[in-house]
Amino acid sequence: MKEKRRLTINWPTYGFIKKKAIRLISHPVFPLLTVFGNLLIAFGALGLYYLEKDHNPNIHSLLDTLWWAISTVTTVGYGDVSPITPTGKVVGIILMIIGTALFWSYTALFADALISEELEDFESEMRSIEKKLRALTKTENKNPQASKDTLTNIEKHLAELKT
């Protein structure tokens, strides 16, 4: 009797992680998002500092507003520093909305780096199967018995895959 196929889990190795990280970093959108995100934080911190430095008792230095901008863009929002002027609140709203969009974009890039290679392999395998099925259809018209044998063989392999 034929031995059953066993599914093995390959835990991420250093090579796997390195390969996926290089794929992520080399994506053309990654540097653009990174630069844009850092500029957003810098301008948000500078904007809040100049808008609220004389009005907000929680803002003592540019570092306080940098802390606020990073916690706002990353959606952490500790609440220890928050804008009190209407214009400062508008800056905060803009940082929250754009920060959320940046987070979604980074999440999509990470997902792409993790699964895109496997999806490409799967699509290639599906194209190969479709090509074989087209050839089988052509063969069926010429030799019905050969087609039945091939179909029986395919069903047998599918049954083995399910177990």
Side-chain angles (χ1 to χ4, degrees), residues 10-160:
N10 295 323
W11 295 104
T13 61
Y14 173 76
F16 173 84
I17 294 169
K18 180 180 173 184
K19 182 178 168 184
K20 298 300 180 175
I22 289 170
R23 188 172 183 101
L24 172 69
I25 293 169
S26 65
H27 195 287
V29 177
F30 183 82
L32 180 70
L33 279 178
T34 303
V35 168
F36 180 73
N38 287 320
L39 287 174
L40 177 70
I41 290 169
F43 285 125
L46 286 170
L48 191 73
Y49 181 74
Y50 288 110
L51 288 169
E52 301 220 354
K53 67 179 174 179
D54 297 327
H55 305 287
N56 195 328
N58 293 324
I59 295 177
H60 306 290
S61 68
L62 190 57
L63 184 60
D64 292 332
T65 57
L66 182 62
W67 170 261
W68 169 82
I70 291 171
S71 67
T72 300
V73 167
T74 59
T75 69
V76 174
Y78 286 107
D80 54 346
V81 177
S82 58
I84 58 173
T85 64
T87 314
K89 290 179 180 182
V90 169
V91 170
I93 291 168
I94 292 169
L95 284 180
M96 287 180 228
I97 291 169
I98 297 174
T100 303
L102 282 172
F103 179 74
W104 293 341
S105 299
Y106 269 114
T107 302
L109 283 177
F110 278 105
D112 178 68
L114 288 174
I115 66 170
S116 61
E117 191 173 334
E118 287 77 9
L119 282 176
E120 290 167 2
D121 291 345
F122 179 74
E123 288 172 353
S124 174
E125 190 173 331
M126 291 304 295
R127 282 191 293 274
S128 173
I129 290 170
E130 288 171 353
K131 185 178 178 181
K132 289 176 183 176
L133 285 174
R134 276 191 235 101
L136 180 62
T137 303
K138 289 178 184 175
T139 306
E140 183 178 349
N141 294 335
K142 295 177 184 174
N143 187 350
Q145 184 57 41
S147 297
K148 287 179 184 176
D149 293 342
T150 305
L151 188 58
T152 303
N153 197 13
I154 290 171
E155 288 172 344
K156 182 177 127 187
H157 288 296
L158 285 173
E160 288 177 7

